[in-house]
Amino acid sequence: MSGGLTVSNLTAGYGGRTVLRDLSLPMAAQGEVLSLIGPNAAGKSTLLRALAGLHPATGSVMLDGQELNGLSLAERARSVTYMPQTLPQGVALTVLETLVSALRASPVQGAISGDEAETALAVLERLGLEGMAMRRLDQLSGGQKQLASLAQAVVRGPRLLLLDEPTSALDLRHQLRVMKLVRELAVERGMTVVMVLHDLQAAARASDRVVVLSEGVVAANGPPGEAITPAILAQVYQVEARVERCVRGTLQVMVDDIL
């Protein structure tokens, strides 16, 4: 597949404080999953919101050859969807209604056809959430709301899917399920996926590439085995850690002490 996401010289901040400083990333291709990791206040969520157009930033964000910076939020939303850490409180709509509303609010050109409710139900079934279709958001648990939020992000078939800690409220089984679904959807639909994760082993397992952020700059960038190393963890997280592969080849991170 051709195309993907390229970020060049991105700078963003709050008030007089710069959070991201001339940040650049090599292209993340269509169908690729990229994870952002790093300590608190490293700039992960700020970067995700800047990519979504929800936080002002200078520099370049190119998606499939199109410059996104400078587009209106509505124009950007035709190609990009963003899943926040939490949904708004007190929403009395059903899960199905929120998906239909997402389709109507900012349809993706060429990606949606046929009946909106049918499209929404198909996505819920693909995610294994059809049993939640008629339940109200304000009656769901935190984990169920997170799954509903993922469905809202996916239903519009974006070219760029941005997920901010998509597994933070989920139990172990559902964490694994969501990570597997994200990878499958990226390949099936040719989406570029960028997600913020705190679980280093989940990032290693689910990602094609990992970007380690520290104080608004890129400390490491590459395949999980190259980006998650004892030296990088010592530098960025200030911990003494071992990074080894288990008998199945999965990367394991074991933190022994603080530095």
Side-chain angles (χ1 to χ4, degrees), residues 83-85 143 146-147 150 162-170 174-175 178-179 182 194-197:
M83 174 183 164
Q85 293 182 28
Q146 202 159 28
L147 293 170
L150 176 63
L162 305 171
L163 308 174
D164 198 350
E165 297 189 45
T167 61
S168 61
L170 302 179
H174 285 93
Q175 288 177 28
V178 166
M179 291 294 94
V182 167
V194 181
M195 57 183 174
V196 170
L197 290 174

Side-chain angles (χ1 to χ4, degrees), residues 124-145:
L124 289 174
E125 183 175 355
R126 176 66 183 82
L127 298 179
L129 305 177
E130 62 270 26
M132 290 169 47
M134 303 311 296
R135 296 190 60 187
R136 288 174 22 179
L137 281 186
D138 59 0
Q139 296 175 341
L140 301 181
S141 69
Q144 289 172 327
K145 287 179 181 177

Side-chain angles (χ1 to χ4, degrees), residues 179-209:
M179 291 294 94
K180 291 179 68 175
L181 279 169
V182 167
R183 285 198 62 86
E184 291 169 4
L185 290 168
V187 174
E188 289 172 11
R189 303 190 179 197
M191 295 186 298
T192 303
V193 179
V194 181
M195 57 183 174
V196 170
L197 290 174
H198 277 292
D199 186 331
L200 303 187
Q201 290 184 186
R205 184 185 302 112
S207 311
D208 298 295
R209 192 150 50 87

